[in-house]
C-alpha cells in the first residue's frame, strides 16, 4: 500500500537558517503530495501541494517539488522564522488506491530559536 | 466562519464510559473523515464517509461507531472507553477531485481537534 517516510525529528535551527525536511513516498499510479503544518495546540493546515510529477508547491516561503524519479517531496525554506516552529507532516493521496485516502508520514517537529 | 468545527475541544472521562464527538463542515464537501493522533503525533485515518456512506473503515475496534446524519456532519461515538483511547481526534472534510488517475487529489481541511483523556 501507499506509505510516506519523513526524516526523524526533532529538528532545531536558529532563525534565518536554511531548512530541509526530507520526505519520500511509496505509491503506484499517480499520487498527489502534500505538506501539512500543525502549530502548537491547533489542527492541521495545508501548507502546500503538488498534484503531478515536476510540480512545485509553494506557500509562505516554503517550497517542495514532486520528484517522481526519486519518489521525493522534500520541504525547503530559505530563511526560517521563530513563527515556523511547528510539526510538519508529509502526506499523499490517490495513486492506485484511490483519491480518498490520505496517508501521512510520522511528522517532524521543528523548533526555531531566536 | 469556521470551516470544520468539532465539539467538544476537550473531553475528560472515566474508563468504561460512552462518549460522542461531533463534527460539522460548512464547505459543501462530500467526504468527511476521522483521524486519531497519538501522543507521538502519528496520524492515522479511522473512517471516511462520502455522501453519508461509509467508504473507509480502517482496523478500528467496533467500540468506535461513526454516524453521518447528512453530508455536513460526521459524529464519532465511542463505547466502553479504554485508557488507550486517549488521543487527539481530528475531523476533516474534502471534495475529491477526479478520483484516481493523473491530477486527482484530495485536499483535506481539518478541524481543531478534540483531546480525549480517559482516566
Amino acid at each position: 500500500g501507499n506509505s510516506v517516510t519523513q526524516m526523524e525529528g526533532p529538528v532545531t535551527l536558529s532563525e534565518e537558517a536554511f531548512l530541509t525536511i526530507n520526505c519520500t513516498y511509496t505509491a503506484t499510479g499517480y499520487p498527489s503530495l502534500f505538506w501539512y503544518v500543525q502549530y502548537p495546540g491547533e489542527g492541521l493546515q495545508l501548507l502546500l501541494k503538488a498534484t503531478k510529477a515536476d510540480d512545485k508547491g509553494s506557500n509562505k516561503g516554503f517550497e517542495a517539488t514532486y520528484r517522481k524519479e526519486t519518489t521525493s517531496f522534500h520541504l525547503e525554506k530559505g530563511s526560517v522564522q521563530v513563527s515556523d516552529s511547528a510539526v510538519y507532516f508529509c502526506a499523499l493521496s490517490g495513486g492506485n488506491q484511490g483519491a480518498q485516502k490520505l496517508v501521512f508520514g510520522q511528522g517532524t517537529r521543528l523548533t526555531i530559536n531566536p | 466562519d469556521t470551516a470544520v468545527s468539532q465539539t467538544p475541544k476537550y473531553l475528560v472521562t472515566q474508563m468504561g464510559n460512552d462518549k460522542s464527538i461531533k463534527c460539522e463542515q460548512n464547505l459543501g464537501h462530500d467526504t468527511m473523515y476521522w483521524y486519531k493522533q497519538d501522543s507521538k503525533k502519528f496520524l492515522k485515518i479511522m473512517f471516511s464517509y462520502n455522501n453519508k456512506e461509509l467508504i473507509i473503515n480502517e482496523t478500528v475496534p467496533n467500540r468506535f461507531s461513526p454516524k453521518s446524519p447528512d453530508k455536513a456532519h460526521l459524529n464519532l461515538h465511542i463505547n466502553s472507553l479504554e485508557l488507550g483511547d486517549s488521543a487527539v481526534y481530528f475531523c476533516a472534510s474534502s471534495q475529491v477531485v477526479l478520483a484516481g488517475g493523473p491530477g486527482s487529489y484530495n485536499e483535506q481541511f481539518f478541524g481543531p481537534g478534540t483531546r480525549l483523556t480517559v482516566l
Side-chain angles (χ1 to χ4, degrees), chain A residues 30-32 34 36 38 41-44 46 49 51-52 87 89 93-95 98-102 104-106 109, chain B residues 9 31 33 35 37 40-43 45 55-56 58 90 96 99-108 110-112:
Chain A
Y30 306 93
S32 293
F34 306 85
Y36 280 84
Q38 185 178 26
E42 298 185 13
L44 277 76
L46 180 67
K49 68 176 186 285
T51 59
K52 57 185 188 299
V87 180
F89 294 90
S93 75
Q100 280 85 2
K101 192 170 177 176
L102 195 60
F104 286 91
Q106 69 269 40
R109 183 181 297 276
Chain B
K9 190 170 173 61
T31 306
Y33 311 79
Y35 288 86
Q37 186 176 48
K40 295 184 178 176
K41 297 291 188 182
F42 186 68
L43 268 163
I45 191 165
I55 55 170
I56 295 175
E58 294 291 295
F90 287 101
V96 175
S104 66
Y105 67 91
N106 177 6
E107 180 178 339
Q108 296 186 15
F110 283 77

Side-chain angles (χ1 to χ4, degrees), chain B residues 47-83:
Chain B
F47 302 104
S48 175
Y49 270 74
N50 177 261
N51 283 321
K52 302 193 297 175
E53 188 177 330
L54 181 67
I55 55 170
I56 295 175
N57 184 352
E58 294 291 295
T59 311
V60 176
N62 57 15
R63 298 181 294 104
F64 290 78
S65 53
K67 283 190 173 52
S68 181
D70 55 62
K71 72 175 192 177
H73 296 84
L74 180 62
N75 303 322
L76 183 65
H77 188 76
I78 315 170
N79 288 329
S80 303
L81 277 155
E82 299 178 357
L83 294 177

Side-chain angles (χ1 to χ4, degrees), chain A residues 3-12 19-24 34-39 44 73 75 84-92 103-111, chain B residues 36-44 90:
Chain A
S3 66
V4 176
T5 303
Q6 288 178 237
M7 66 186 283
E8 295 245 358
V11 174
T12 303
L19 168 72
T20 300
I21 301 178
N22 288 340
C23 171
T24 56
F34 306 85
W35 277 99
Y36 280 84
V37 58
Q38 185 178 26
Y39 297 104
L44 277 76
F73 193 55
L75 183 68
D84 294 327
S85 298
V87 180
Y88 291 79
F89 294 90
C90 186
L92 72 82
V103 175
F104 286 91
Q106 69 269 40
T108 302
R109 183 181 297 276
L110 173 67
T111 302
Chain B
K36 181 179 179 181
Q37 186 176 48
D38 64 22
S39 58
K40 295 184 178 176
K41 297 291 188 182
F42 186 68
L43 268 163
K44 194 168 190 319
F90 287 101

